Amino acid sequence: MGKTVRGQWHREILSSPSLSLSPMGGWQRNKGWSHSVTFTRMERNPLQRQVAYMRRSLFDQGYLDEQFVQLEDLQDDANPNFVEEIVTLFYTDSARLIHNIEQALESRPLDFIRLDDYMHQFKGSSSSIGAKKVKNECTQFREHCSARSAEGCVRTFQQVKQEHTILRRKLETYFQLARQAGLAN
Amino acid sequence: MASLGYWDGFPMISALVCMATHWTGPMCYLRQEIQEEKMGFGKATSSSKAMKIIDTEKKISVLIVEDDPLIQKIHKVMMAKFGTEVQVVANGKEVVDLYRSGASFDLILMDFEMPIMDGFEATKELRSMGVTSMIVGVTSRSQDSEIQAFMKSGLNACYVKPLNAEKVTAVLNELKNN
């Protein structure tokens, strides 16, 4: 079987939506080929591959942890947009908490107990959606509360907000891409 | 057969066919099988058939006592996924009121921190009312001392948030074994 014949077959598979491949694909990277061809049953088109890659990197780079997978496992026909709904709810909730914390950080002297309380809630929500980096920054903040360090609280709060925003952007992109990939199927 | 006069035609022939299948054991079985296959056509029907068998057993009733709407939603969907019947209230006072009005649940998932009446007070109250339902604490407090303190209210078990499939399985197994 020459390269040309393989190439044709490859194109055929890509354009045939009803075909499903076995997990191992059975293809090999060849010097003359431009992309890797390890398909899984789920990844039928380039968009879906992109979605899977993005998802993988969110975990690898520590933005998300196992709890996010738990949410994904709950998504089904009865709850088709569950993950996105939960994430949206998280960002609505946390916007309120961020506002409360900002206000509390402006009062002098700082009410560390109240700040710790808010951050405890924030940390709880973050961990329930698997927002790993956000959760870790929350922990840092609470340590500064315990140490009654105003400077530490103000500084780490900036980090909390930063991670919070970064994750939101990444998840927005991810969900958008996933929707496009789903439509393209 | 065609010359039977008035009773000639479809009804008579189908009657004969029925008689034939009735008397011919294997053929009758095959026909029934085809009928069943036709009715059970499609993945959804066969799995709902399986679900039906499970549904004849009474569903476990679960009450989620939790003030955070995000956690409420997650835990509700999680418990529903395990086939339980789920209700949600937002604080300890509501669960006490429910029980006072005569309601009862197989399992209560009790959050610790809630306004009006927290998980500790609510559990203590329920136990003093003689409630024997399984009450499982769900708390974001992870310190041993805090968990032990919560347990003292009369919990059967206590888990750190967030709940996941593993913890829920453990809880439901515990419930079934009691």
Side-chain angles (χ1 to χ4, degrees):
Chain A
M1 225 196 318
K3 216 205 286 184
T4 323
V5 178
R6 263 191 176 181
Q8 281 177 348
W9 194 4
H10 187 187
R11 275 199 293 281
E12 230 180 298
I13 286 171
L14 284 180
S15 64
S16 168
S18 61
L19 221 59
S20 59
L21 298 165
S22 67
M24 295 314 283
W27 296 82
Q28 298 204 345
R29 186 185 284 278
N30 240 330
K31 266 207 176 143
W33 292 54
S34 55
H35 44 262
S36 84
V37 286
T38 310
F39 287 107
T40 67
R41 188 174 286 272
M42 295 300 288
E43 297 160 6
R44 293 181 195 175
N45 63 52
L47 266 179
Q48 286 183 325
R49 275 205 300 281
Q50 223 181 321
V51 173
Y53 179 78
M54 194 180 175
R55 183 186 170 277
R56 183 80 254 143
S57 58
L58 284 170
F59 285 96
D60 289 346
Q61 290 168 23
Y63 287 102
L64 297 174
D65 64 27
E66 161 66 25
Q67 189 57 24
F68 191 82
V69 181
Q70 292 283 329
L71 297 183
E72 287 177 317
D73 286 346
L74 293 177
Q75 188 156 301
D76 57 17
D77 291 337
N79 297 283
N81 302 306
F82 183 67
V83 185
E84 199 173 348
E85 283 169 14
I86 291 294
V87 170
T88 307
L89 190 52
F90 167 71
Y91 276 99
T92 311
D93 266 3
S94 52
R96 181 183 45 88
L97 274 171
I98 284 175
H99 177 73
N100 290 344
I101 295 171
E102 269 169 348
Q103 283 203 312
L105 280 174
E106 277 165 24
S107 67
R108 293 287 180 279
L110 286 185
D111 186 345
F112 289 108
I113 293 175
R114 182 175 239 186
L115 281 169
D116 187 68
D117 215 29
Y118 284 140
M119 198 45 86
H120 175 76
Q121 285 181 60
F122 200 109
K123 184 183 168 187
S125 303
S126 307
S127 76
S128 66
I129 71 154
K132 194 173 174 183
K133 287 196 184 193
V134 180
K135 183 180 74 167
N136 291 342
E137 294 301 335
C138 291
T139 306
Q140 293 290 317
F141 184 98
R142 296 186 72 203
E143 280 172 16
H144 289 295
C145 284
S146 301
R148 300 183 69 84
S149 161
E151 186 268 332
C153 283
V154 170
R155 189 169 31 89
T156 46
F157 186 56
Q158 294 313 309
Q159 281 161 252
V160 168
K161 282 198 292 186
Q162 197 172 34
E163 289 299 340
H164 183 252
T165 305
I166 290 171
L167 181 65
R168 185 181 61 220
R169 290 199 189 123
K170 286 186 183 277
L171 286 175
E172 270 169 6
T173 307
Y174 172 68
F175 289 131
Q176 199 170 29
L177 202 62
R179 250 178 273 134
Q180 284 171 358
L183 287 170
N185 198 16
Chain B
M1 294 298 142
S3 59
L4 281 178
Y6 186 70
W7 293 106
D8 191 15
F10 183 68
M12 188 56 167
I13 293 175
S14 67
L16 285 169
V17 169
C18 280
M19 277 162 63
T21 53
H22 177 72
W23 288 340
T24 316
M27 254 191 74
C28 179
Y29 182 71
L30 184 66
R31 188 194 227 197
Q32 199 179 353
E33 225 182 357
I34 293 167
Q35 287 276 47
E36 279 180 351
E37 213 180 292
K38 276 189 186 164
M39 291 191 323
F41 179 74
K43 232 168 59 167
T45 322
S46 57
S47 62
S48 63
K49 235 174 142 190
M51 283 298 286
K52 241 190 159 186
I53 296 165
I54 299 166
D55 280 354
T56 55
E57 297 176 14
K58 193 169 156 286
K59 272 191 178 178
I60 295 174
S61 60
V62 180
L63 181 66
I64 294 173
V65 190
E66 168 67 60
D67 65 318
D68 184 340
L70 179 66
I71 312 273
Q72 273 182 4
K73 184 161 179 165
I74 295 174
H75 288 180
K76 182 174 182 181
V77 173
M78 203 177 268
M79 295 313 296
K81 188 109 182 172
F82 275 86
T84 63
E85 224 167 90
V86 192
Q87 235 180 285
V88 182
V89 292
N91 63 61
K93 184 171 181 298
E94 290 187 32
V95 54
V96 171
D97 287 345
L98 267 177
Y99 268 81
R100 283 228 175 91
S101 72
S104 181
F105 299 86
D106 297 316
L107 170 65
I108 301 173
L109 293 177
M110 185 78 79
D111 181 27
F112 181 64
E113 282 158 342
M114 292 179 289
I116 303 173
M117 190 190 278
D118 69 20
F120 184 90
E121 292 301 324
T123 307
K124 247 179 72 179
E125 184 63 29
L126 289 171
R127 292 302 188 213
S128 73
M129 281 162 59
V131 172
T132 55
S133 310
M134 185 172 186
I135 308 179
V136 171
V138 183
T139 175
S140 41
R141 306 272 170 194
S142 52
Q143 300 273 28
D144 254 350
S145 54
E146 289 165 326
I147 294 185
Q148 290 307 320
F150 192 12
M151 287 287 291
K152 286 210 171 87
S153 64
L155 297 175
N156 295 89
C158 191
Y159 289 87
V160 178
K161 279 185 211 178
L163 281 182
N164 54 38
E166 206 185 317
K167 292 175 187 175
V168 174
T169 308
V171 169
L172 291 177
N173 283 340
E174 183 76 35
L175 183 63
K176 281 181 189 144
N177 291 338
N178 287 353

